[in-house]
Amino acid sequence: MTAVDQRPVPADVDAGAGADGQELPVLALLAAPGTTSRAVPLLGLLGIHARVVSWQRRGDVAPDAVIVTSVDSLRALHGSPPIPTAVWVKHHEHIDEAIEAGATLLLTARPELMARGAVLVPPIGIEVDRWPAAAPLVRRRRREQRGLPAVHVVKLEPGMDPTEAEIALSVASAAVVSGPATLLGLALGTPLVTSTDTARRLGVRPGRDVEVAAGPEQALELAAEIAADDARAASLSRRARRCAEHHLDLGRPALVVAQRLGLVATPAGPIARIDGRLDELATPIGSPVRARVDDALAGFPADGGGSSA
């Protein structure tokens, strides 16, 4: 169960070039057998900024950076020209080995390793900032505009059209959903009822981030109870979005990796520092807080320099 936002390259742009026609940097993947899957979601987003190739099959291509899926595979880089390197670590001993080997960046799926500088990359995740959260009041207004009932419970069926699923989840008072679409529901802040298996695989907390039901009938009954209780629905909505931002987001880690590996430029200046602080506070893109900050800073130059007038 992996949800990755795949953004196709425009038809009139070469596969090795960005949308502006500039040549993309090359990112190589060095994967040990059986470990490629952990890199796939991240590479789905890094592919926006770089041309991804296999380290083993790169031929004469000289990569600008490399992602390594295990510490043991770092030895394959010995003798190669030094380039920015990110590597997955699973415990503290791996961190020590990676640092000794000269790794630029540590990646992990274990939150406890973030204290030692590793970037958390969830094995199952979504680019959260692409999906603005919809609070219960916003949902109520959307239902009124569409002529839907004041209390509106939806059940997402497998294989539902993604656009229809997004609309349904963004207006629902509560929703019954399992599988990959649960990620979208969490990002949108939808009060959710899901299966035990989905909750376990996503690592969400039953009774806090989502509610869990034993079967389809119980799920619909529980969703109806939530939809009829404004306070409970609002609490689940906030916790769902917070869970997506803190534990399931792939977008911000992907940007950190791209910047640290030199695939994209790191913004500089006071406005960039403010944006960075808003990111640290998990302030959603398009939120009222972001809009107010943008308005307040509109008259200042991005680099913090003085007026040239």
Side-chain angles (χ1 to χ4, degrees):
M1 181 203 305
T2 302
V4 179
D5 300 310
Q6 299 287 356
R7 303 183 186 184
V9 177
D12 58 341
V13 177
D14 183 82
D20 58 0
Q22 297 296 314
E23 191 72 17
L24 290 173
V26 176
L27 174 64
L29 173 65
L30 174 53
T35 64
T36 302
S37 61
R38 71 180 53 160
V40 169
L42 181 62
L43 291 176
L45 296 181
L46 291 178
I48 301 168
H49 308 294
R51 179 162 65 95
V52 180
V53 301
S54 166
W55 175 266
Q56 291 88 346
R57 301 177 182 177
R58 68 190 187 284
D60 296 330
V61 174
D64 298 286
V66 60
I67 286 184
V68 185
T69 57
S70 71
V71 172
D72 291 340
S73 296
L74 284 171
R75 64 174 63 97
L77 299 177
H78 292 169
S80 300
I83 56 175
T85 303
V87 60
W88 256 268
V89 293
K90 297 178 67 175
H91 48 70
H92 290 282
E93 290 78 6
H94 277 172
I95 292 179
D96 297 334
E97 294 175 36
I99 292 174
E100 185 177 350
T104 308
L105 182 62
L106 308 175
L107 311 176
T108 189
R110 299 179 181 272
E112 64 271 19
L113 298 184
M114 295 173 65
R116 294 195 61 187
V119 175
L120 181 66
V121 180
I124 301 173
I126 187 170
E127 192 179 3
V128 173
D129 283 341
R130 292 192 65 196
W131 314 102
L137 178 60
V138 174
R139 294 169 179 276
R140 183 179 299 115
R141 289 172 177 169
R142 289 175 178 173
R143 291 194 294 274
E144 291 173 354
Q145 292 170 353
R146 289 171 170 78
L148 296 171
V151 176
H152 181 56
V153 174
V154 302
K155 179 181 179 182
L156 260 64
E157 301 295 341
M160 188 174 182
D161 177 78
T163 301
E164 294 179 2
E166 179 189 350
I167 294 172
L169 288 170
S170 69
V171 302
S173 305
V176 176
V177 58
S178 296
T182 309
L183 288 163
L184 178 56
L186 289 166
L188 291 170
T190 308
L192 297 179
V193 179
T194 190
S195 65
T196 302
D197 181 62
T198 294
R200 177 186 58 79
R201 296 186 69 183
L202 292 181
V204 298
R205 299 166 297 179
R208 289 185 59 84
D209 307 317
V210 299
E211 295 289 358
V212 171
E217 292 185 6
Q218 297 92 329
L220 285 171
E221 292 174 0
L222 184 53
E225 291 178 13
I226 295 168
D229 186 335
D230 290 344
R232 187 178 181 186
S235 177
L236 276 171
S237 177
R238 290 192 302 270
R239 289 171 177 168
R241 176 67 184 198
R242 190 177 302 128
C243 174
E245 290 174 342
H246 292 181
H247 304 292
L248 298 168
D249 184 31
L250 276 171
R252 296 183 186 185
L255 182 58
V256 170
V257 172
Q259 291 175 344
R260 293 282 298 277
L261 294 183
L263 304 177
V264 298
T266 301
I271 292 181
R273 289 197 292 273
I274 292 172
D275 284 340
R277 183 58 178 151
L278 290 172
D279 289 340
E280 291 175 15
L281 296 172
T283 309
I285 301 297
S287 70
V289 172
R290 293 264 189 183
R292 287 197 293 269
V293 170
D294 289 343
D295 288 343
L297 299 177
F300 296 90
D303 61 1
S307 172
S308 59

